[in-house]
Amino acid sequence: MTKTDTRISRPWSRVGDLFLYGLGQLRTIKKIYPGIMHLLIFWGVIIQVIGTAIKILQMGLFFPYSWPVFSQNVYLGFELVLDLAGVAILLGVLMAIIRRWIIKPRFMENSWDDIYALFLLALIPTVGFITEGFRLYSLQPSWANWSPIGNLTASIISNFSISPGTADLIHPYLFWGHVSLGLIFAASIPFTKLRHMIFTPVHIFLKSDRPTGELAAIEDIMEAEILGAGAINEFSSLDLLSFDACLQCGRCEEVCPATISGMSYSPRSLLLMLREDMAGSLLTPENGSDKTINKDLLKEGFLWSCTTCGHCLDVCPAFIRPPEQVIDIRRAQVLMTGEVPQTVGETLRNFERQGNPWGMPAPDRISWAEGIDVRVLSPGDAVDVLFYVGCAGAYDDRNKKVTRSFIEILNKLKIDYGILGDAEICCGETSRRMGNEYLFQVAAEENISLLSGYQFNKIVTLCPHGLNTIKNEYPRFGGSFQVLHASEFLAEIFSDLNLNLDNGKDFGRLTFHDSCYLGRYNNIYTQPRELLQNANLIPLEMKSAKEESFCCGGGGGAMWLETDADTRINHQRLQHALDINADTITTACPYCLIMFDDALRSKGLTDQIQVYDLVEILNQYLD
């Protein structure tokens, strides 16, 4: 089993998270209907369990441990709260039934334990109200109105030919029947999806401290015997816990671009299959020797469809990280078995031979700068801004235009900047997301050593993937730098941007696409829009924007994969722009630019819609 991160840091913060997200259900209630439904059931059950435990302790069954008998006023409030809790459970169950069998969201699946859990959750408070009705009918206390549902049940019982004495005789049987149902409920937890009631709060408390943009590193990779997760017991203990913590709510599947586009991959299916593997090999003794991962997980169409967009990370109520489990499996395939798609193998070989996924030689890294005034730094040089160009900006023909535009902006603003030229090294992001942790760690160490040989205040890059890697992942390897995306940097100095609004071309109906690694992983949403607004361009919002943005399909190494034309994620995202009749798509990521260009060519829409990087537009307006 792989090493598990230390999970005892920030204990009070973890307790706060437990209250906010475990007990408070903060992520669950982001969706109103299922959020209210889940809150009613969750808190109804919690209150009923506590109330029933108090009642049993008051009976003196566990001497010398007993709960003191309440004063009359407290007892009346106690009875009212328990009645309301039972009503909350029944209302929540009714809402769940309506949602599962009448509304039926596309991603909703029903299994036997869904039916079992709802039946049991409805039966327990129903029997409880009947039990309370028999008690009140036999005692006929003056305070019966403080138990409104029990009192209503008692009035119904009175319509039958049952005497108070008979009701008093029946009541103990009903009481212990009610207790038995509660015990059955408790005993069912490990064997049904009810297990998430225990494991989800525990997982929330123990969740990783790592930024969502940082993957766990393989420690001492040259000496490590386990590289990734090729078997179920090679996942970390926190991963194994997450398989049981999964609520199977489908929120991840609902937002997954691969699932929505018709691919076989689904983060929920991933977690369910891994849990089945865990249950079959680690929990069942007779199958304990077989710890292999489900073969369906290893299929190219499943495993390599995840773009690591991170949307599932944002919506999961249990804070599970499916993309990291995908990459752990990829690591085992790349580093241990070599069973990878052909295009993945070719891309990683390009990286090994030339130091970049494009497979282009290092001297060509500066070819984009021909005929333009740009300062190439030498080791030891001092500069305010180090512009990290990145592989896409250096090698991809379309993105070379973006790089030149940004250089022109820096020159116009007289920024004290420099570039590394052909000494620049790929950040290693693609190799890491594709599963080759070794190539990434080598690149990271070389880059940190290289960057340490120059004097600068900040690194600025056009690529959100490079931003995320240097900013969030390099510190783990000893490289801590101030890193800004170009949109952040320009937004900081926007007062220096003397925009001439008569210089720019007419972009028509313009929309801005949020890159996953810019927005979701690094929370950069406002700066690109502010810059466009400064150019008097008010972007139209697609139906999936900002935190809800839809992936372009190029992340996680997917840009180098061949996918079926009918399930291409970039075609789905292009359709979102078509739905609002956009004339211009703007983005701030080289991968997104490539994916939109590809989708437009595939659809034959290059004359209808144009796609630009943000800095290309700003450069047109800048004097």
Side-chain angles (χ1 to χ4, degrees), residues 279-291:
S281 61
L282 301 182
L283 303 181
T284 309
E286 57 268 24
N287 295 330
S289 58
D290 183 15
K291 296 180 175 61

Side-chain angles (χ1 to χ4, degrees), residues 423-556:
E424 185 179 284
I425 304 171
C426 177
C427 68
E429 190 266 353
T430 293
S431 60
R432 187 170 222 197
R433 265 62 189 175
M434 280 187 163
N436 198 321
E437 178 71 5
Y438 172 75
L439 288 180
F440 165 75
Q441 291 194 17
V442 169
E445 291 171 3
E446 290 181 354
N447 249 322
I448 292 168
S449 176
L450 173 69
L451 293 171
S452 299
Y454 298 82
Q455 299 178 51
F456 53 86
N457 294 321
K458 59 180 74 74
I459 296 173
V460 175
T461 181
L462 291 163
C463 180
H465 297 263
L467 167 78
N468 182 73
T469 301
I470 302 173
K471 177 182 176 181
N472 294 326
E473 300 196 299
Y474 278 15
R476 167 67 183 76
F477 300 93
S480 295
F481 307 100
Q482 182 185 359
V483 193
L484 298 175
H485 184 262
S487 62
E488 288 182 288
F489 173 70
L490 293 175
E492 284 185 356
I493 59 171
F494 78 93
S495 59
D496 297 330
L497 301 179
N498 297 314
L499 300 180
N500 185 340
L501 302 184
D502 295 327
N503 284 356
K505 62 179 290 185
D506 181 13
F507 292 100
R509 294 171 59 86
L510 179 144
T511 187
F512 180 76
H513 162 77
D514 293 281
S515 158
C516 300
Y517 276 78
L518 186 65
R520 197 167 291 120
Y521 280 108
N522 288 283
N523 200 35
I524 301 172
Y525 296 108
T526 59
Q527 295 92 327
R529 289 171 171 82
E530 288 174 354
L531 290 169
L532 288 169
Q533 289 168 8
N534 289 334
N536 204 27
L537 298 170
I538 310 300
L540 302 168
E541 298 293 1
M542 290 182 269
K543 73 173 184 178
S544 300
K546 298 181 180 177
E547 290 85 354
E548 301 299 320
S549 183
F550 195 84
C551 181
C552 75

Side-chain angles (χ1 to χ4, degrees), residues 272-303:
L272 288 178
M273 283 191 276
L274 288 173
R275 198 213 168 262
E276 289 175 3
D277 291 340
M278 179 179 70
S281 61
L282 301 182
L283 303 181
T284 309
E286 57 268 24
N287 295 330
S289 58
D290 183 15
K291 296 180 175 61
T292 57
I293 293 176
N294 191 315
K295 287 184 173 55
D296 289 336
L297 284 174
L298 304 178
K299 292 179 179 178
E300 177 180 337
F302 187 92
L303 180 64

Side-chain angles (χ1 to χ4, degrees), residues 198-394:
I198 305 297
F199 294 119
T200 298
V202 174
H203 188 267
I204 290 173
F205 182 78
L206 296 176
K207 63 185 173 65
S208 175
D209 271 344
R210 283 180 289 103
T212 53
E214 180 192 358
L215 297 176
I218 298 178
E219 304 290 346
D220 302 319
I221 192 166
M222 296 301 293
E223 306 297 329
E225 295 182 3
I226 297 175
L227 301 173
I232 194 65
N233 63 321
E234 292 175 353
F235 283 99
S236 72
S237 57
L238 186 67
D239 284 330
L240 297 177
L241 173 63
S242 73
F243 305 154
D244 268 332
C246 177
L247 284 74
Q248 302 176 30
C249 62
R251 282 174 173 80
C252 57
E253 191 172 278
E254 184 182 18
V255 300
C256 176
T259 306
I260 293 171
S261 299
M263 297 180 179
S264 60
Y265 174 76
S266 152
R268 176 168 62 175
S269 297
L270 170 80
L271 295 172
L272 288 178
M273 283 191 276
L274 288 173
R275 198 213 168 262
E276 289 175 3
D277 291 340
M278 179 179 70
S281 61
L282 301 182
L283 303 181
T284 309
E286 57 268 24
N287 295 330
S289 58
D290 183 15
K291 296 180 175 61
T292 57
I293 293 176
N294 191 315
K295 287 184 173 55
D296 289 336
L297 284 174
L298 304 178
K299 292 179 179 178
E300 177 180 337
F302 187 92
L303 180 64
W304 295 91
S305 297
C306 175
T307 64
T308 68
C309 73
H311 206 165
C312 57
L313 307 179
D314 278 359
V315 301
C316 178
F319 288 83
I320 301 171
R321 300 182 170 192
E324 296 186 8
Q325 285 133 18
V326 166
I327 290 173
D328 266 343
I329 301 173
R330 288 181 182 179
R331 286 172 172 174
Q333 286 198 303
V334 170
L335 298 172
M336 301 293 288
T337 68
E339 297 176 359
V340 297
Q342 181 180 349
T343 50
V344 171
E346 291 172 354
T347 303
L348 292 175
R349 281 192 293 274
N350 285 339
F351 198 98
E352 286 184 272
R353 294 167 181 167
Q354 300 291 354
N356 63 82
W358 266 265
M360 304 292 286
D364 288 354
R365 188 176 278 276
I366 194 66
S367 62
W368 57 267
E370 185 177 350
I372 191 171
D373 182 22
V374 59
R375 180 186 177 188
V376 179
L377 301 175
S378 299
D381 284 353
V383 70
D384 179 40
V385 173
L386 173 62
F387 173 34
Y388 184 83
V389 178
C391 297

Side-chain angles (χ1 to χ4, degrees), residues 37 59 64 66 92 106 119 122 135 155 167 175 180 232 234 275 308 345 399 411 416 437 466 506 531 552 581 599:
M37 175 199 79
M59 296 172 66
S66 63
R106 174 186 53 80
F119 174 76
R135 182 170 79 101
S155 65
F175 173 81
S180 299
I232 194 65
E234 292 175 353
R275 198 213 168 262
T308 68
N399 277 288
N411 288 339
D416 179 23
E437 178 71 5
D506 181 13
L531 290 169
C552 75
N581 299 315

